[in-house]
Amino acid sequence: MLESCPVTHDVPTLVLSLLLCTGLVISYLPQHLRIINANTSEGFSPWYLLLGATSSASGMLNLLIVQWPLFRCCRVISAGRCFESLLGFYQVTLQWLLFTIILVLYLAYFPKHLKYQRVMPLEPNAQTYGAITENAQADGTNARPRVTVATTPEWRLAVTLGIVVFLHLSLLFLLSISLLLILPSTTPPHPFLRYLATFLGVSGTLLAVLQYAPQIHRTYHSKLVGALSLGTMAIQVPGSVLFVLSLVFRPGTDWTSWLAYAVTGGMQGALLVICLLWKRRQRSLGIDDFGRPVNPMDGSTERESLLTDAQD
């Protein structure tokens, strides 16, 4: 085993990985704080969060499999050398964790006006509005149907997608760990492990391609930035280049390990451009990121301008 373990100390790659881990935390913090400070997650597409969480989870598990020999090397090498060799896995895991926190905050700060709706059941025996029904009261007044409060389809969809994310991670993690512990550790890896790693890498890439499509569609048609953080995207778009390069030069990785992150970096750049255009539009209309007038005294004028522009 010792012969296949890393023995060189790659200082540039070590420094790059440490900087990327620090940059990941710094880049995601503005997004986390923006949702918390605004007390709303309005503007996010639940499909974007679902695809992003599953894509990053697939990438994390892919790296777990392809770098499993490095985990086994930690039995015979020093703790410092073990930490250095697994930094690529740590940064991918950190990226998955920080993105998943956005999903948790999305559910925790889901806007209340989009979470509940009032439902008034129809009276089947009523011929016209206000007609006396079989449930008419004794004093001759109409028995009005009771108004109930129910959750909206959008909130139910968000909760369902959150459950899907949990099941996706749980099942694939258990499958990966089981195969890694049961199958013999060989070089090259066992065919089942190669197939699983390829499946995770390819599926992660496909999910990454689809990830930004619903968010770009939602942001483009709403013509509002919403709870999206421009600061986070401004840091992550150029940072994705370094992120991909750090994985390319990591031992044990292949194209299935870094392609998904290259794709997401490009699509996130497109989303950033759209948000910058809408930010400029909001400033000209005098509205904030959620469509509310910045100056309440001019609310009616700004609202009319917004409606006119939306009709065009």
Side-chain angles (χ1 to χ4, degrees):
M1 180 187 297
L2 188 60
E3 292 77 8
S4 61
C5 295
V7 294
T8 59
H9 181 56
D10 191 347
V11 177
T13 303
L14 172 64
V15 173
L16 178 60
S17 295
L18 291 175
L19 289 176
L20 283 172
C21 288
T22 304
L24 277 173
V25 176
I26 295 175
S27 68
Y28 273 100
L29 273 180
Q31 183 62 80
H32 297 163
L33 295 176
R34 177 168 175 80
I35 296 176
I36 295 173
N37 294 333
N39 200 32
T40 180
S41 58
E42 186 174 358
F44 277 98
S45 166
W47 291 103
Y48 159 74
L49 297 175
L50 164 75
L51 296 170
T54 52
S55 172
S56 58
S58 297
M60 175 184 63
L61 295 176
N62 168 274
L63 213 60
L64 173 66
I65 294 175
V66 299
Q67 290 196 324
W68 184 249
L70 298 180
F71 283 88
R72 296 174 61 86
C73 285
C74 289
R75 302 176 183 177
V76 295
I77 62 178
S78 65
R81 191 60 54 82
C82 173
F83 174 78
E84 180 182 349
S85 64
L86 294 177
L87 263 179
F89 175 76
Y90 295 152
Q91 73 185 49
V92 170
T93 303
L94 181 62
Q95 194 273 340
W96 162 79
L97 176 63
L98 293 172
F99 189 92
T100 304
I101 291 177
I102 298 179
L103 174 61
V104 174
L105 292 175
Y106 169 76
L107 295 173
Y109 289 90
F110 196 89
K112 293 183 178 179
H113 70 279
L114 298 177
K115 191 173 184 179
Y116 300 105
Q117 60 184 353
R118 292 192 299 175
V119 178
M120 179 180 292
L122 296 176
E123 287 292 336
N125 296 325
Q127 300 298 322
T128 58
Y129 180 79
I132 299 177
T133 68
E134 294 178 356
N135 297 325
Q137 298 178 356
D139 58 0
T141 60
N142 292 348
R144 296 184 179 275
R146 186 175 182 179
V147 177
T148 59
V149 177
T151 55
T152 62
E154 186 173 357
W155 168 244
R156 293 195 295 271
L157 173 64
V159 173
T160 302
L161 296 184
I163 296 174
V164 171
V165 169
F166 175 77
L167 293 177
H168 171 270
L169 174 64
S170 301
L171 294 176
L172 288 180
F173 178 78
L174 291 176
L175 176 62
S176 301
I177 290 296
S178 299
L179 291 178
L180 288 171
L181 295 178
I182 294 174
L183 297 177
S185 179
T186 59
T187 304
H190 192 279
F192 282 167
L193 291 175
R194 293 203 307 270
Y195 295 150
L196 180 58
T198 302
F199 166 76
L200 290 170
V202 173
S203 64
T205 302
L206 293 177
L207 291 171
V209 171
L210 299 174
Q211 171 188 355
Y212 280 89
Q215 186 61 60
I216 290 175
H217 179 270
R218 185 185 185 97
T219 303
Y220 179 80
H221 287 281
S222 68
K223 297 185 178 181
L224 295 170
V225 175
L228 293 172
S229 172
L230 295 180
T232 290
M233 289 187 285
I235 297 174
Q236 289 184 352
V237 170
S240 63
V241 178
L242 297 177
F243 194 95
V244 170
L245 290 177
S246 70
L247 293 180
V248 170
F249 296 111
R250 277 280 162 193
T253 61
D254 55 24
W255 64 271
T256 64
S257 304
W258 54 261
L259 183 59
Y261 301 98
V263 172
T264 55
M267 298 195 70
Q268 191 177 37
L271 180 61
L272 175 60
V273 171
I274 293 175
C275 287
L276 290 175
L277 293 175
W278 288 167
K279 195 75 173 179
R280 181 179 179 181
R281 173 181 177 274
Q282 291 168 192
R283 191 177 297 111
S284 64
L285 292 176
I287 56 178
D288 64 8
D289 294 333
F290 302 96
R292 300 174 299 221
V294 176
N295 186 353
M297 298 299 296
D298 299 332
S300 59
T301 303
E302 306 296 347
R303 192 176 299 108
E304 291 175 359
S305 300
L306 180 60
L307 291 175
T308 302
D309 186 76
Q311 291 175 354
D312 295 340

